[in-house]
Amino acid sequence: MKTYINIKKDSVRIVVGGHAENDYKDYLEQGADFVCIGEGEKAIVGILEYMRGQRNINSIPNIAYKTDKVVRKNKTEYIYDLDEFPFPDRTSSDIHS
């Protein structure tokens, strides 16, 4: 991970999730910009809104990040109704081959 993060440029943001949530402090210390904690569907939208200047970073649930050399972890929210999300569009790939 460290090798990959060392090559990042200022215009690239590194967002990690999955197993990274267990070691979010380590990932942030090594250079990741955001770690998704738990459900990432809404977190990634919030991160994009933040990057566009449309949202305050501390209002985005399910992320950890680092500001002023301090690791911060926002509140965790769970998705209880998966029907609020559309089904993935898989028309461009052949999932049966």
Side-chain angles (χ1 to χ4, degrees):
M1 176 182 73
K2 191 171 185 176
T3 302
Y4 177 74
I5 291 176
N6 284 338
I7 64 171
K8 82 174 192 172
K9 299 186 187 318
D10 290 334
S11 62
V12 175
R13 297 292 173 250
I14 298 175
V15 180
V16 296
H19 69 279
E21 72 180 78
N22 297 321
D23 298 314
Y24 69 91
K25 291 179 183 177
D26 292 335
Y27 277 83
L28 294 168
E29 293 295 334
Q30 293 297 323
D33 296 297
F34 305 97
V35 177
C36 290
I37 309 289
E39 310 288 353
E41 289 81 359
K42 292 182 179 180
I44 195 71
V45 172
I47 290 169
L48 292 171
E49 291 171 345
Y50 164 74
M51 292 173 64
R52 292 180 183 152
Q54 300 169 339
R55 189 165 184 179
N56 191 314
I57 194 167
N58 61 13
S59 73
I60 305 168
N62 299 6
I63 66 165
Y65 57 96
K66 190 173 174 183
T67 59
D68 302 322
K69 299 183 181 181
V70 176
V71 172
R72 302 183 189 282
K73 181 179 175 226
N74 291 353
K75 67 180 179 174
T76 302
E77 292 181 359
Y78 299 97
I79 298 172
Y80 295 103
D81 182 12
L82 293 178
D83 291 333
E84 70 180 89
F85 296 101
F87 282 100
D89 180 6
R90 296 190 174 107
T91 58
S92 63
S93 62
D94 183 7
I95 61 173
H96 299 290
S97 60

